[in-house]
Each structure stands twice: as C-alpha cells, then as structure tokens.
Amino acid sequence: MASLNVSAEELSCPVCHEIFKAPVLLSCSHSVCKECLQQFWRTKGTQECPVCRRLSSHDPPVNLVLKNLCEALQKERKESRSSESEDLCSLHSEKLKLFCLEDKQLVCLVCRDSQQHENHKFRPIGEAAHPYKEELNTALKYLQEKLKHNENIKEEFEKTVQHMKSQADQTEHQIKQQFEKLHQFLRDEEEATITALREEEEQKKQMMKEKLEEINTHISALSHTIKDTEEMMKASDVCFLKKFPVSMERVQISSQPDPQTPSEPLIHVPRYLGNLPFRVWKKMQDIVQNTPVILDPNTANPRLILSEDLTSLRYSEETQPLPDNPERFDSYPCVLGSEGFNSGTHCWDVEVKESRYWSLGVTTASNQRKGWKFLYTDVWSVWYDPFQLVSIFQPNTTFPVKVNLECVRVNLDYDKGTVSFSDPVTNTHLHTFTTTFTDTVFPFFASIYHLRILPLIGQ
C-alpha cells in the first residue's frame, strides 16, 4: 500500500495529542476527538471549542474524511510494525538475513554461529527464495490452468442443464403428439362403432316399421270383414243366401296366415361390445410400428441429426451445439442403440440404399467414445465406402462390403458369440464374426448420409 503523505502531527487531536479517534467537526472548523470534547465540555461547563474557545453546537457531526485518514494511518503503522517484527529473529531479535538449507528456516547471524546450526549450509534470503518462487510459480500456473479448466467444466455443466431442459420440453411435446394420435385413433374408432350401431338400429327400425304397417293393414281388413259378416248374419235368409258365397270367400281370404315377426329384430349387442378393447387394440397394431432398435441421441455425434421417432439418422455439415457428455462420440459420425444386450439373440434390419458410406454392427459398452481409438477394438461391423470418403485403418473385426445394398440385416447371438450380416432382399450371407462376449454390447451405426432402422413386419 502506498504510504500516506501526511504526518502524525497533522492527524493529532489538540486535546489528547494522539491520533484522532472518532473526530467531530466543530462549527469553527476545528476537529477534536469526540471523547476529548465531551470531557472538555464537562470540565469547563460550556460548549466551546478547546482551541479557539468559540461556542459550538451541542451535537457536532463526525469528520468522515479525517476519520478515514486516521484509520488508514493506524493501519499503515500496524502493518509496518508487523513487517518489522517478521524481519527479526524470534530468539535473538536480530535481522533475519540467511536461510538454512538443512532446517528450511530463516536465521540471523547469531543463529548461524550457534550449535543448533553447526555444519549447516546457508544461503542469502534473496538467493534461497528464488527456487522456491519458481516452484510456487509452477504450482500457481497449474492452479490457474486448473481454474480455467474448472470454469470450462462449469460452462459445459450449464450447457448440459440447458440441453436437458430443451430435451425435456421437446420430448414432452413429442409425447403429447404421439398420445394425441392414439387419442384420435380411439375417437375415430368410437365414432365408427357408434355409427355402425346407429345404422343397424335404423335398418331394424325401418324393417319393424314396414312390419307394423303390414300388420295394421291386416288388422284393418280383418275388422272390416268381421263387421260385414256380422251385418250379413242379421239379414233375412234370402239376402243371406244370396251374399253367402261372396262373404265366405272374404272370410277365407282373411283367414290367411298372420304376418310373422322378423328374425333377429333386436340389436346385435355382442357385435359392438364383445372383446371391444381387444378388437380396437388389434386394429391399433395396424397403425403402429415396432422398431427393434431405437437410437440413443445422447451418444450421437453432433453432426448426426436423428428423426423424432429415433429410428433414422442423417448427416449435417454443421455441428449441432450439443453437450460433450461422456457417452457422446465426438470424432466419428456414429450413434449407438439405446438398449444394450448381454444375453439372447437379437435381429434388426437397416435401410442403407440412400447412403454412400455406412458402417453397421455392435460395440461394447465400455469402448472409448472420444477420438478414433474405439474403431480398433471391440467393434464387430461391416462397412461400405466405394469412394474412400473416410480414409481410416479398418481392424480385422470389420468387414468391407463391395456391393451397394438396399438393406442389411444384423443377427446377434450373444451366448454363442456370433454377429452375422446378410442381405435380406436377396437372402445373401455377407459375413459372420465369432468371438466371446464378456461385456454388454450395443448396436452400432455410422453414416455420413442417411440410415433407417426398419420396423418389424407382422408384429
């Protein structure tokens, strides 16, 4: 700290002649310690200035500028006394001038000649401090680099938090979209089922209406025949005999069989309620797809853009601003499946016809995700690169495909330790790797164009 350009006398109270303590400013512009002023006023019995005897106010304000100067002077004196005491030997009160290399401590000239430091090596303080300063400076640079690294980590953490928020919001939006499609399907099925019910109701109501009209006509004819017959029975025998043949014919006609109740006149309730949820679920299977492998976006290289349903990928020339999390591939355009396998048999088909470079297979969960090293171990794949778009050394666990295929089928038998590849279009075998799996393996996909995992058929 720079030394104050004022003397102690300039900052001394005129009453106690010590450095001001809580100085107050009188109306005459003189300053006095607050305690000294109050003592002076009690002694004199009047509120006058101890310097010029001019009367002053009862409660003079604190002189802040003078107070701050006095506090700064006191602090400077304290630091100076502390520094002086640090430079003196605690045993002999002599100035510390040497550094003992054996004991790693500061000593004075008396200490050097004492029995405690007999046959010890000494260096001047300035010379001894130099290598320690270099050592500390190296450690300081390491801490500075560590601080910068931690600040970068913090920045990545903040980006990760933002990405998590974006992921959650986007996923929620897609969930709502998918459920809305299912809800709409159910609403459509409900409407279609009720429409069919109402149509049957209308058809059977119309049929019964026609039957009612028929029975009403029959009842009316019978009523008229009965009435006419009853009147004829009351007529004279001559009239009766004259009309008998006609009347008898009408009676016989009216005695024809009655209209019959139609078969199945009621609503066929089981047609609509029988196994209703199951029948709707079976129909739902026709509109939904089951893909055996789903891509994991948290492993995708920043140049790969995955579809919303996580079943296809395409390559982008621009790098997406994604967190560099440990699971993510940073140097190679690839992505893993979301589910790993450690037993059983598994199969998936990948459409590759729109890609001029691709690599497919499996890799271990513990394989390196950063850099290019993961290509050389624990990868079992087939690849296609007719134009040498990616010039890398391919290890013996990868197999080159010479023909431009439309689709590739991957068959994994974890327990037998085999990974087989074939062309499902022509049913042609491409290659089989045989190994012993000891780690969980994940489906592996790489492309700088477009790939799509095909849904299962008939499931």
Side-chain angles (χ1 to χ4, degrees), residues 154-213:
K154 177 188 174 184
E155 185 177 348
E156 286 298 320
F157 284 174
E158 290 172 346
K159 288 181 181 178
T160 300
V161 171
Q162 287 289 58
H163 185 67
M164 286 169 56
K165 178 67 168 59
S166 175
Q167 272 188 314
D169 292 344
Q170 184 178 1
T171 303
E172 179 182 351
H173 176 69
Q174 291 175 227
I175 289 171
K176 289 181 177 179
Q177 281 186 326
Q178 293 297 322
F179 272 98
E180 177 55 31
K181 290 179 182 178
L182 296 176
H183 293 158
Q184 187 59 48
F185 171 82
L186 292 175
R187 286 193 291 267
D188 292 343
E189 281 298 305
E190 177 187 7
E191 183 178 350
T193 305
I194 292 175
T195 299
L197 170 65
R198 293 307 177 188
E199 287 176 353
E200 182 183 352
E201 178 192 19
E202 191 62 32
Q203 290 173 359
K204 293 190 173 180
K205 280 171 65 177
Q206 182 63 31
M207 180 183 65
M208 293 307 298
K209 181 180 179 182
E210 293 173 356
K211 289 294 182 180
L212 282 170
E213 291 176 353

Side-chain angles (χ1 to χ4, degrees), residues 10-201:
E10 292 177 285
L11 300 179
S12 297
C13 173
V15 177
C16 64
H17 305 292
E18 298 289 339
I19 300 297
F20 282 109
K21 296 177 181 178
V24 293
L25 181 63
L26 302 178
S27 57
C28 59
S29 300
H30 290 117
S31 293
V32 186
C33 292
K34 184 177 181 179
E35 187 177 343
C36 293
L37 180 64
Q38 291 174 347
Q39 179 64 35
F40 180 78
W41 282 357
R42 284 196 295 270
T43 304
K44 295 290 292 181
T46 59
Q47 295 180 356
E48 59 183 39
C49 173
V51 180
C52 64
R53 299 296 190 268
R54 182 177 173 179
L55 291 176
S56 180
S57 62
H58 176 70
D59 191 14
V62 175
N63 191 337
L64 290 176
V65 175
L66 185 58
K67 178 175 179 292
N68 292 338
L69 282 173
C70 292
E71 289 177 352
L73 180 62
Q74 293 281 23
K75 183 178 179 181
E76 184 179 288
R77 283 184 168 184
K78 183 177 180 181
E79 289 177 351
S80 177
R81 287 194 297 270
S82 175
S83 176
E84 289 176 0
S85 64
E86 287 178 357
D87 290 345
L88 297 179
C89 176
S90 60
L91 296 176
H92 308 106
S93 299
E94 295 288 334
K95 191 171 182 63
L96 297 169
K97 293 185 176 182
L98 300 173
F99 184 76
C100 177
L101 298 180
E102 276 76 9
D103 295 332
K104 300 287 189 295
Q105 65 181 29
L106 294 166
V107 296
C108 65
L109 296 178
V110 178
C111 291
R112 179 195 62 183
D113 298 331
S114 67
Q115 185 177 359
Q116 180 183 353
H117 295 281
E118 187 176 359
N119 298 324
H120 288 186
K121 292 183 179 180
F122 301 90
R123 292 287 186 274
I125 289 178
E127 183 179 334
H130 181 70
Y132 288 106
K133 284 184 178 180
E134 287 187 344
E135 181 180 350
L136 188 59
N137 189 51
T138 300
L140 178 61
K141 287 181 179 178
Y142 169 75
L143 291 178
Q144 290 170 339
E145 291 174 358
K146 189 175 180 65
L147 173 61
K148 185 177 181 180
H149 179 65
N150 277 267
E151 288 173 345
N152 292 336
I153 293 176
K154 177 188 174 184
E155 185 177 348
E156 286 298 320
F157 284 174
E158 290 172 346
K159 288 181 181 178
T160 300
V161 171
Q162 287 289 58
H163 185 67
M164 286 169 56
K165 178 67 168 59
S166 175
Q167 272 188 314
D169 292 344
Q170 184 178 1
T171 303
E172 179 182 351
H173 176 69
Q174 291 175 227
I175 289 171
K176 289 181 177 179
Q177 281 186 326
Q178 293 297 322
F179 272 98
E180 177 55 31
K181 290 179 182 178
L182 296 176
H183 293 158
Q184 187 59 48
F185 171 82
L186 292 175
R187 286 193 291 267
D188 292 343
E189 281 298 305
E190 177 187 7
E191 183 178 350
T193 305
I194 292 175
T195 299
L197 170 65
R198 293 307 177 188
E199 287 176 353
E200 182 183 352
E201 178 192 19

Side-chain angles (χ1 to χ4, degrees), residues 272-291:
Y272 307 102
L273 293 182
N275 291 323
L276 178 60
F278 177 77
R279 288 186 290 108
V280 173
W281 173 70
K282 289 290 289 183
K283 281 188 178 181
M284 189 176 291
Q285 286 185 306
D286 296 333
I287 67 165
V288 297
Q289 295 180 333
N290 179 22
T291 305

